[in-house]
Structures are given as structure tokens and as C-alpha cells.
Amino acid sequence: MNLRYITAGILSSVIKDGQSLTTALDHSFKVIDEAKDRAFIQALSFGVIRQYHRLDFILQQLLSKPLRNKDADIKMLLLIGLYQLKYMRVKSHAAVSETVTAAKKKSWAKSLINGVLREYIREQDSFEEKADHNQVAINSHPQWLIDKIATDWPEHREQILLENNQQPPMVLRVNLAKTDQQAYLKLLAKQSIVAKAVVFCRSAIILEQAVAVEKLPGFFDGLVSVQDTAAQLSAELLDAQAGESVLDLCAAPGGKTAAILEAQPGLKSMLAVDIDEHRLTRVTENLQRLKLQADIRVGDASKSEEWVENQLFDRILVDAPCSALGVIRRHPDIKVLRRESDLIELQKIQQQILIAAWNLLKPGGVLLYATCSILKQENEKQIEAFLMAHGDAMESVIDADWGKKATFGRQILTGDGAMDGFYYAKLIKQ
């Protein structure tokens, strides 16, 4: 089993066919039993995608002519070879020979891969210097995204681009219905797992190094879940009270649904809705592990009449579909798959969902709008337009010691407080 050959197939599924990296990995892992093999493939896949724009720039300098579309697998192998030589602790001769072997029956490609990688080894400094003078290559982001970030966040552009290319921390959410930060930190210490509490989020703990979930004390008993701090803030901000009815829109995979239920076990009801039936199974699985109850329904959040009738809610979380540009460090394939043209359609969907959700909110009720985006057009400008169009809507200003105050709502930029990029706005119905 050639692991580089398998990785090339995964990368081709993402870069050529537009499949998400998570889906491509899940499909491949069905036939790979060894944990160390999975870890190698995952590290290689994430690494190449994370550095794709830089590696691709260097590869174009090395090739005398572009490869044909039908030879995408060979291009992926070349990128894999370059990544190993630049970023991994793989000996040069092993990186070259194993990558050449992965070309299998394409004998013409073996000499190409061997020649390209050996030329890179000989002239590495020269190729890297050229990459350091190209905006797309040095930042390993598409130009449109660099421009968007520079327009919205000129003072934070370099920080965001840098953070997007880092490996994110593993963050835990302790189940507040069963334990708390300090008690769980003691359990981790007994297992020699180094961690620290997040001061501004009472449920969040950051691990110094990632570990397999089965090694987390009480994971299968529902004591803890894996969720970034920024996403955990949703439960605190929604601040659901005992006896209230809560609606979680676009709920899959269910992390925020669970966090709300853990923070307030005395809810009257919790309805979790998502348009993707397959992803809703993740919500069910997460709630079962945590021994939590919710009504789970398949439904289009913008067409509430199809899944709810004569029911209003005290609190609504709108976890809006978005560009997901705040979670690039966890899903680097976003840099490859997302298109600038996607943004207009996403804004329309966000607007439609906000309006539909507002019609389901009781007078005096709270709607929390959330995205994992850092773009103002999806965030504060979206809320500004909504407030202008709805006279019965009032912003409840979020006063917090995390993130940045926006014109409306509060923005977390990628890396702030070790968090993913996130946006929140809290609205009250008058």
C-alpha cells in the first residue's frame, strides 16, 4: 500500500473534483486500518492543501509545460513530493523514491517526478526566493481572498493570513451539566494531558497537544466534547433560561445545540433544524453520547412553514451558512474550493434565513446571529441591513473581553484568543 498514491487520490478529489477534504479523507480511511498510516495521510493531505498556492507556484516554475487535466494524479504527486522536501522530516532520497514509486504504471511520469524533485533539491533556495516575491505564493491564499481580507481588515491582514496557515489548537467543551473547567482540568492532569482553562469562556479548555478523543477522561460518558472556543460562546450569548423554548437553525453537526442544552438543562424545548439529512445524523449521535434530548428535524431554514406550524420561540440561534473563511485553519480546502462569486448567493441565503427566523421569534425574544466568517458583508453589514428593514428589531450590544466591537455585533478574527474567526450579533424583538 503506497500512502503517497492514496494521498494523491485524496488531493485530486479535492482540487480537481471539488470534494471537501473531510469527505475525501473519510472515504479513503474506510480501507486503511493502521492508525499511523491514517495519521501520515492526514498530515500530508492537510499540509499540501494548506500550502497549495505556494507549492503550485513553485511547481509551475519547475515544469517546462503544464500537465494535462487527465494527469491530475501526477500533479498531486509532484505537490506531495515538494511538500515533503520543504515541510516534512522525510529524508530527501526517501521522499523522491517513494513519490516516484507512487506513479505506478505511468512510467513516463516516474522520470518527470524524479527530475522535477531533484531539480528542486538542487535549486531550492532560488525557487523559494521567487515564491517569497509573489503575493499568492508567500501567503498561500488566492488573490481574491487576500484582497478581501486587506479591504475589510487592513491592519490585521498579515495576522489573518498567517493564522489561516497554522494548525489550530484542540479545544474542549466541558459539559457544564456534569462538571466544570477546574474539575475537568484535574482529570486531564491525572492522565498527564497538559491543558489550560479559557478565562473568558467558562466551558472551554485548550490542550497543549491534540490527543485522540478516546484518551479524554469521560469522553464516552459525555463529560466533554471537542469544539473551538469561538463556537462555544454561542451558548453563553444566547443565555437561554429555564422554561424557555429554543430553536437552533442550521444546527448540524450539533455542537452548539449540545452546548445550549448543557448550559441550561431546564429548557422547555429544543428544536434543531438542518437542511442536510445526512449531517443531522451527527446531531443525533452527539446528543446520544451526551445523553441530551432535542427535537431534530430536516428543513430549509428559509422556509419555516415546511417544518413548523403555529409555534414561536423565546430564543433562536441562526448559525448561518457562510463562506467559512474564519475556519480555514481547520478546513484549508476552503482556500481551494471557495469562489468569490459564492459570496453573493450566501448573502441572499443569510438574509432569507434571518427574515424567516425573525417571524418565529416571540416579542421580547432573543435572536443570536452567528457565522464563522470574517467578512463584513456577511456579518455587520448583513445585520445593519436587517435592522434598517425591521423596525421591531433592536441590537443588544455584546459587551465582552474577547473579539472586536463591530458597527453591529462583535467580530473575532482568526487567532484572537487562539480562536477561530467568528461573528456574533444579538437582536431583541420589541
Side-chain angles (χ1 to χ4, degrees):
M1 182 183 290
N2 189 298
L3 303 184
R4 290 158 182 84
Y5 175 80
I6 293 169
T7 306
I10 292 167
L11 294 174
S12 188
S13 294
V14 176
I15 295 165
K16 179 172 172 280
D17 302 330
Q19 195 173 74
S20 78
L21 179 54
T22 301
T23 302
L25 282 168
D26 286 347
H27 180 74
S28 293
F29 282 176
K30 290 176 182 176
V31 295
I32 300 168
D33 297 325
E34 291 288 334
K36 62 180 178 57
D37 290 345
R38 289 185 175 203
F40 181 80
I41 289 170
Q42 182 162 310
L44 204 48
S45 299
F46 267 83
V48 171
I49 295 287
R50 195 167 273 137
Q51 297 298 335
Y52 173 77
H53 293 87
R54 184 181 185 91
L55 295 171
D56 189 49
F57 175 85
I58 292 171
L59 180 58
Q60 300 319 311
Q61 315 302 309
L62 284 158
L63 291 171
S64 57
K65 61 180 181 179
L67 289 164
R68 297 167 297 182
N69 286 337
K70 69 175 186 176
D71 294 320
D73 56 335
I74 302 305
K75 178 179 177 179
M76 299 310 132
L77 285 174
L78 285 164
L79 295 173
I80 286 167
L82 291 174
Y83 182 78
Q84 292 171 94
L85 293 170
K86 167 72 174 172
Y87 298 101
M88 294 184 84
R89 293 176 182 173
V90 179
K91 291 182 179 179
S92 298
H93 67 88
V96 173
S97 63
E98 289 295 325
T99 307
V100 167
T101 302
K104 299 212 167 184
K105 295 179 181 178
K106 291 189 176 181
S107 55
W108 64 267
K110 292 184 178 182
S111 59
L112 174 70
I113 293 169
N114 185 63
V116 165
L117 296 183
R118 292 196 181 282
E119 184 181 352
Y120 174 75
I121 292 169
R122 287 193 302 270
E123 304 292 338
Q124 182 170 354
D125 291 345
S126 173
F127 287 114
E128 294 296 340
E129 187 179 352
K130 287 179 185 175
D132 285 339
H133 286 85
N134 179 278
Q135 263 220 70
V136 169
I138 195 170
N139 294 300
S140 201
H141 281 64
Q143 188 64 53
W144 73 266
L145 183 49
I146 295 171
D147 293 342
K148 283 281 183 187
I149 292 170
T151 298
D152 279 5
W153 305 103
E155 295 178 10
H156 304 283
R157 171 188 173 278
E158 288 187 19
Q159 172 212 324
I160 295 168
L161 293 170
L162 182 65
E163 287 289 344
N164 280 351
N165 290 333
Q166 303 304 308
Q167 194 167 336
M170 184 172 180
V171 186
L172 308 181
R173 183 190 76 241
V174 298
N175 185 343
L176 295 175
K178 295 184 175 183
T179 185
D180 58 37
Q181 277 176 329
Q182 294 308 314
Y184 196 76
L185 281 169
K186 290 177 182 176
L187 291 177
L188 289 172
K190 286 181 181 177
Q191 299 292 328
S192 300
I193 298 173
V194 181
K196 63 179 180 180
V198 177
V199 177
F200 54 83
C201 181
R202 64 196 182 106
S203 57
I205 289 174
I206 298 180
L207 301 187
E208 188 174 278
Q209 287 190 319
V211 301
V213 291
E214 55 266 25
K215 293 184 179 179
L216 295 172
F219 177 80
F220 295 108
D221 297 322
L223 276 189
V224 70
S225 301
V226 178
Q227 187 180 41
D228 189 76
T229 306
Q232 293 186 44
L233 293 170
S234 60
E236 291 188 17
L237 292 171
L238 192 66
D239 193 27
Q241 303 297 305
E244 289 185 334
S245 55
V246 175
L247 171 62
D248 183 1
L249 286 174
C250 314
K256 297 182 186 69
T257 308
I260 294 164
L261 289 165
E262 290 169 357
Q264 181 47 266
L267 293 180
K268 178 184 177 183
S269 66
M270 164 64 85
L271 173 59
V273 177
D274 200 275
I275 197 169
D276 189 331
E277 186 172 6
H278 176 70
R279 293 187 76 226
L280 272 177
T281 60
R282 291 279 307 282
V283 180
T284 302
E285 290 166 1
N286 282 328
L287 295 183
Q288 285 175 345
R289 179 179 63 83
L290 295 162
K291 298 177 176 59
L292 298 170
Q293 297 291 325
D295 183 4
I296 299 170
R297 295 182 199 172
V298 179
D300 184 336
S302 67
K303 298 174 182 175
S304 56
E305 68 280 0
E306 296 178 357
W307 45 265
V308 70
E309 191 175 347
N310 301 322
Q311 186 177 0
L312 296 179
F313 298 86
D314 297 290
R315 314 253 169 176
I316 299 177
L317 170 61
V318 176
D319 190 7
C322 69
S323 63
L325 299 180
V327 292
I328 284 174
R329 58 187 192 161
R330 296 189 187 279
H331 304 282
D333 50 319
I334 290 167
K335 292 190 294 180
V336 176
L337 301 177
R338 183 67 67 217
R339 299 287 179 265
E340 186 175 8
S341 56
D342 298 339
L343 298 175
I344 295 171
E345 185 60 30
L346 284 167
Q347 282 177 269
K348 288 179 185 175
I349 294 169
Q350 291 158 5
Q351 206 169 46
Q352 291 164 358
I353 292 174
L354 261 173
I355 293 167
W358 194 250
N359 292 332
L360 295 175
L361 189 64
K362 292 179 182 177
V366 173
L367 184 149
L368 183 65
Y369 176 79
T371 78
C372 54
S373 173
I374 57 169
L375 296 185
K376 293 183 179 183
Q377 66 194 90
E378 297 184 272
N379 297 339
E380 59 188 86
K381 290 181 180 177
Q382 189 71 272
I383 294 301
E384 181 178 21
F386 183 82
L387 288 169
M388 286 180 67
H390 293 79
D392 59 346
M394 179 181 72
E395 183 193 13
S396 175
V397 177
I398 299 170
D399 184 21
D401 52 4
W402 49 261
K404 293 166 175 57
K405 188 182 185 309
T407 308
F408 297 96
R410 201 161 186 90
Q411 180 72 57
I412 303 165
L413 297 180
T414 312
D416 286 354
M419 290 185 283
D420 290 339
F422 246 78
Y423 172 82
Y424 287 108
K426 196 171 181 176
L427 306 178
I428 298 174
K429 195 170 194 176
Q430 296 176 297

